[in-house]
Amino acid sequence: MLTELSQLRELLDKEHKPKKLVLAASEDAHSLNAVVRAAEQDIIRLVLVGDKEKTAGMAEILELDISKFEFIEASSPVEAVSKSVKIVHDGKADILMKGKVGTSDMLRSILSKDYGLRTGKLLSHFAYFEVETYHKLIGVTDVAMNIAPSLTEKISILNNSVKVLNSLGIENPKVAVLGAVEKVNTEMGATLDAALLSKMNQRDQILNCIVDGPLAFDNAISVESARHKEIKSDVAGDTDLLLMPDIEVGNVLYKSLVFFARAKVASMIVGASAPIVLTSRSDSEQAKFDSILLAAVVAKNLTKR
Ligand code: COD
């Protein structure tokens, strides 16, 4: 059972050949610190793409030696992103990472029909949390990419994250599909979707996981709360993955865990042709480092390259 994000390091073989990561718009202090640290620990090999003068100036202040890494100049963050995405698209690197550039700009480039990282499947965001008050790592999806997913999109979002969890050795992750309440309320769309996903799982239409829903947040993560409400569930209180109703709920939970609960987090975009590290600008250097680690493990276990 994974209880700390640092355990992800043990999932990389000692003899593994580090995958190549491209940092798009490298003029970002937290990202630069995190990628250099990961490269020095042989978790990745590194290519920097961005404003060379700004990146070098930043590296000097941070006392980082970036002279040994490949550098590709770009005149703007948007150009840095498109150059970086192309490098990964062309198979010249294995992992893409967002630096100092807006999330939407990054996502649009990833979705480009000409040079993007589409696979024909839905791309989604997966966040993996280490929360002091919970007994194991817990995934949360989708808090950053799909705004108001339909039932069909929720199936893809769920499957994307289950694949990641399976690749981390969690064979049958327990998935809680969240609503505001744990009973189906025909006026609350999220509870209807949750009940359908749960039934689809029972009928083997969604595999490699155990799905239950609707569950309210408290009974998804607390056995006492589930008992108190007399909920019979294989998932309640022992959830590995929380499926969010929409981006607003997801994003608020993400930020509440980080800011109120001081949780640690690693996150990435899944479903693309390569893992993508997409942390938010407010995420700490440690969150960026842990996200690189997560992407490196996923790149090793999931992608064919
Ligand atoms: N997976 C695969 N293809 C997709 C996805 C997806 N998740 N989303 C859109 N597409 C495809 C569509 O099928 C279409 O072919 C093309 O991309 C454009 O689709 P649009 O018009 O819906 O896409 P955009 O460019 O208007 O928006 C896509 C974004 C991902 C940018 C948009 O959904 C978005 O802004 N998401 C939220 C990002 C955000 O602000 N996050 C904040 C977190 S801190």
Side-chain angles (χ1 to χ4, degrees):
M1 186 164 78
L2 295 173
T3 54
E4 292 175 9
L5 289 171
S6 58
Q7 288 172 282
L8 293 172
R9 186 73 179 91
E10 294 156 26
L11 302 181
L12 287 176
D13 310 329
K14 297 237 160 35
E15 298 79 33
H16 89 284
K17 185 169 177 276
K19 300 279 182 185
K20 199 182 251 191
L21 178 145
V22 189
L23 176 62
S26 53
E27 55 279 6
D28 175 65
H30 280 161
S31 303
L32 208 50
N33 253 324
V35 288
V36 171
R37 201 172 127 204
E40 283 172 356
Q41 292 184 25
D42 277 338
I43 294 168
I44 49 152
R45 290 172 292 141
L46 180 59
V47 182
L48 300 168
V49 182
D51 183 317
K52 195 160 191 179
E53 214 180 298
K54 280 191 193 158
T55 307
M58 207 162 267
E60 205 178 323
I61 296 167
L62 298 168
E63 297 181 5
L64 299 173
D65 176 11
I66 58 164
S67 61
K68 50 186 179 261
F69 303 119
E70 188 180 340
F71 199 102
I72 296 167
E73 178 81 45
S75 59
S76 70
V78 171
E79 190 189 310
V81 169
S82 57
K83 280 189 170 172
S84 304
V85 172
K86 274 182 202 144
I87 291 170
V88 179
H89 172 92
D90 294 343
K92 293 176 185 151
D94 313 287
I95 302 169
L96 175 70
M97 176 165 170
K98 173 172 115 53
K100 202 175 178 66
V101 62
T103 301
S104 299
D105 287 334
M106 181 87 181
L107 290 175
R108 287 210 174 88
S109 193
I110 290 164
L111 290 172
S112 158
K113 284 190 176 130
D114 305 324
Y115 59 83
L117 305 178
R118 287 167 176 252
T119 52
K121 294 188 191 140
L122 193 83
L123 276 59
S124 57
H125 185 269
F126 169 77
Y128 211 22
F129 281 97
E130 177 184 330
V131 196
E132 233 178 74
T133 47
Y134 196 61
H135 57 285
K136 59 182 169 181
L137 297 184
I138 185 162
V140 181
T141 188
D142 178 331
V143 310
M145 183 158 191
N146 292 285
I147 295 173
S150 63
L151 177 63
T152 308
E153 287 167 340
K154 284 180 185 172
I155 296 168
S156 301
I157 292 170
L158 197 163
N159 282 329
N160 278 348
S161 290
V162 165
K163 258 194 202 159
V164 170
L165 291 170
N166 292 159
S167 83
L168 301 178
I170 302 161
E171 273 178 19
N172 259 319
K174 296 178 180 177
V175 183
V177 187
L178 290 187
V181 287
E182 58 282 345
K183 291 207 167 114
V184 174
N185 178 328
T186 53
E187 300 303 313
M188 295 185 191
T191 67
L192 297 172
D193 284 356
L196 288 167
L197 291 167
S198 188
K199 182 52 79 181
M200 289 177 80
N201 176 244
Q202 281 176 19
R203 294 283 184 267
D204 289 340
Q205 290 171 281
I206 296 175
L207 297 169
N208 305 320
C209 58
I210 305 167
V211 182
D212 197 13
L215 287 170
F217 182 69
D218 56 340
N219 38 65
I221 54 130
S222 155
V223 180
E224 291 75 30
S225 169
R227 258 191 225 128
H228 184 70
K229 290 194 176 158
E230 296 177 6
I231 295 166
K232 289 183 199 79
S233 164
D234 293 331
V235 173
D238 195 32
T239 298
D240 293 291
L241 177 68
L242 293 164
L243 184 72
M244 294 292 133
D246 59 36
I247 197 170
E248 269 103 7
V249 181
N251 209 271
V252 171
L253 176 64
Y254 181 106
K255 284 174 182 154
S256 308
L257 288 172
V258 170
F259 287 92
F260 275 156
R262 300 266 168 240
K264 288 186 177 169
V265 64
S267 60
M268 59 184 291
I269 297 284
V270 279
S273 57
I276 301 161
V277 177
L278 189 122
T279 51
S280 88
R281 266 175 276 195
S282 59
D283 278 324
S284 64
E285 184 214 319
Q286 186 62 40
K288 290 182 197 289
F289 178 83
D290 288 335
S291 302
I292 295 166
L293 192 52
L294 175 66
V297 177
V298 171
K300 173 185 154 273
N301 292 352
L302 263 191
T303 48
K304 290 189 187 75
R305 281 180 188 163

